Amino acid sequence: MSTKTAYTIQQVAEITGLSGHTLRYYERIGLLSSVVRAANGHRRYTDDTIREIEFLNKLRATGMPIREMQHYAELRRQGQSTLAERQAMLKSHHAVVTEQLRLLQEYLKVIEYKIVLYQKLQEEQQHESTPVGS
Amino acid sequence: MSTKTAYTIQQVAEITGLSGHTLRYYERIGLLSSVVRAANGHRRYTDDTIREIEFLNKLRATGMPIREMQHYAELRRQGQSTLAERQAMLKSHHAVVTEQLRLLQEYLKVIEYKIVLYQKLQEEQQHESTPVGS
DNA sequence: CTACAACTTTGAGCGCACTCTAAGTCAAGG
DNA sequence: CCTTGACTTAGAGTGCGCTCAAAGTTGTAG
């Protein structure tokens, strides 16, 4: 009943959506802690590592720079004494993303407005016989 | 009554948040149509151009690649016959951004969850054996 | 006249986040 | 034994979006 499921790099690539190249890259820049090796030197990923990668993916997708993720990973490695600092990082990132979200929504409205405007212009065009400059 | 207000590149930089370098760059890759020159060859921007730049900024901020913006600008230059295509581009981009927004909100929730988790872990830590103080 | 600041151009350089190449190892199958 | 294919490493290359450098012109102030 032990969760000894060990994934190959190929499998993890499929599961996480990262390429094998990127998985190795993430490991060597210190984003991934402790990837175990098989007898032949090949990487063997655990469920834990996969969950770790999936969280990293969410940080990336929300725009956290690699640099910051490296810092986060470093704190993680230092153990529970860094819980507060990690939490602070997440809070700060949360605020940034929230603001980003607000802006996106605002800009989306402008784009919507423009779509409607283009609609009107096209309708005008069809009701007119002679083209008019914009 | 004519709005003859002509801005220097420096002024436009301040207004739009883009650097002078970037304004020239945008012009040479064809994002900006028709920037008029003063007698000495210096650029003079109109209110119209500023509005154009501000809209481009919104497209950029919502993640539209420069390539796509170039296409959009090219269509603009071709006149009102491209209204439908430009509208289609904006609609497509709108859909992409909306999806992006959805994902961001989802990931934000995961981050929130983690912040709460870290809170709990810290509280546990304080209620346990080891004396505080570092 | 000189100095300086603000612009101009062309083209090179940079930071980020991958992405790929080359050369090598190893285990399994024919 | 030989080939195949999945892996390994270190390091080079790529694409994007700027960003800067160098050299030259122009207009104004002292």
Side-chain angles (χ1 to χ4, degrees):
Chain A
M1 291 300 169
S2 58
T3 44
K4 272 261 181 304
T5 30
Y7 304 91
T8 66
I9 195 165
Q10 197 83 91
Q11 289 169 320
V12 178
E14 265 168 44
I15 293 166
T16 63
L18 296 179
S19 72
H21 290 304
T22 303
L23 285 169
R24 289 191 207 97
Y25 165 67
Y26 273 15
E27 188 180 341
R28 88 177 126 158
I29 67 171
L31 287 185
L32 267 39
S33 46
S34 66
V35 176
V36 176
R37 300 309 179 99
N40 58 8
H42 292 194
R43 288 170 179 81
R44 291 293 174 262
Y45 295 83
T46 65
D47 286 308
D48 270 4
T49 313
I50 287 175
R51 274 190 287 275
E52 202 181 328
I53 293 166
E54 277 170 345
F55 186 63
L56 289 179
N57 273 344
K58 284 170 181 53
L59 292 182
R60 278 295 300 132
T62 50
M64 184 182 284
I66 293 282
R67 271 293 166 84
E68 213 170 318
M69 286 169 53
Q70 285 176 305
H71 183 203
Y72 182 82
E74 174 58 25
L75 291 175
R76 208 182 216 278
R77 237 166 282 125
Q78 286 171 26
Q80 20 124 263
S81 66
T82 63
L83 273 174
E85 193 176 346
R86 275 182 275 160
Q87 191 194 32
M89 281 189 74
L90 292 187
K91 278 182 177 174
S92 157
H93 183 58
H94 187 278
V96 170
V97 178
T98 301
E99 172 60 9
Q100 166 74 0
L101 220 53
R102 200 187 61 70
L103 282 176
L104 277 183
Q105 276 158 351
E106 185 185 319
Y107 297 162
L108 214 43
K109 285 225 176 79
V110 175
I111 291 167
E112 279 161 28
Y113 172 82
K114 202 106 178 181
I115 289 171
V116 171
L117 180 69
Y118 277 1
Q119 190 63 41
K120 284 179 189 158
L121 288 173
Q122 282 175 87
E123 279 160 15
E124 271 176 37
Q125 211 175 57
Q126 287 177 343
H127 289 287
E128 274 170 25
S129 48
T130 44
V132 180
S134 59
Chain B
M1 296 297 170
S2 58
T3 44
K4 274 261 180 306
T5 30
Y7 305 90
T8 67
I9 195 166
Q10 197 81 91
Q11 288 170 320
V12 177
E14 266 169 45
I15 293 166
T16 64
L18 297 178
S19 71
H21 291 305
T22 304
L23 285 169
R24 287 188 208 98
Y25 165 68
Y26 274 15
E27 188 179 341
R28 88 177 126 160
I29 67 171
L31 287 186
L32 268 38
S33 46
S34 64
V35 176
V36 176
R37 301 309 179 98
N40 58 8
H42 292 193
R43 289 170 179 80
R44 290 292 173 262
Y45 296 83
T46 66
D47 286 308
D48 270 3
T49 313
I50 287 175
R51 274 190 286 275
E52 202 181 328
I53 293 165
E54 278 170 345
F55 185 63
L56 289 179
N57 273 345
K58 284 171 181 53
L59 292 182
R60 278 296 300 131
T62 50
M64 183 182 284
I66 292 281
R67 270 293 165 84
E68 213 170 316
M69 286 170 52
Q70 284 176 306
H71 184 204
Y72 182 82
E74 174 58 25
L75 291 175
R76 208 181 217 282
R77 238 166 281 124
Q78 285 170 28
Q80 20 124 261
S81 65
T82 64
L83 272 175
E85 194 177 344
R86 273 181 277 162
Q87 193 195 32
M89 282 189 74
L90 292 187
K91 278 181 177 174
S92 158
H93 183 59
H94 187 278
V96 168
V97 178
T98 301
E99 172 60 10
Q100 167 73 0
L101 220 53
R102 200 188 60 71
L103 282 176
L104 278 183
Q105 276 158 352
E106 185 186 320
Y107 297 162
L108 215 42
K109 285 226 177 79
V110 176
I111 291 168
E112 278 161 27
Y113 171 83
K114 203 105 179 179
I115 290 170
V116 171
L117 179 68
Y118 277 0
Q119 191 63 43
K120 283 179 188 159
L121 288 173
Q122 282 176 85
E123 280 161 14
E124 272 175 35
Q125 214 175 54
Q126 286 178 343
H127 290 288
E128 272 167 25
S129 54
T130 42
V132 189
S134 56

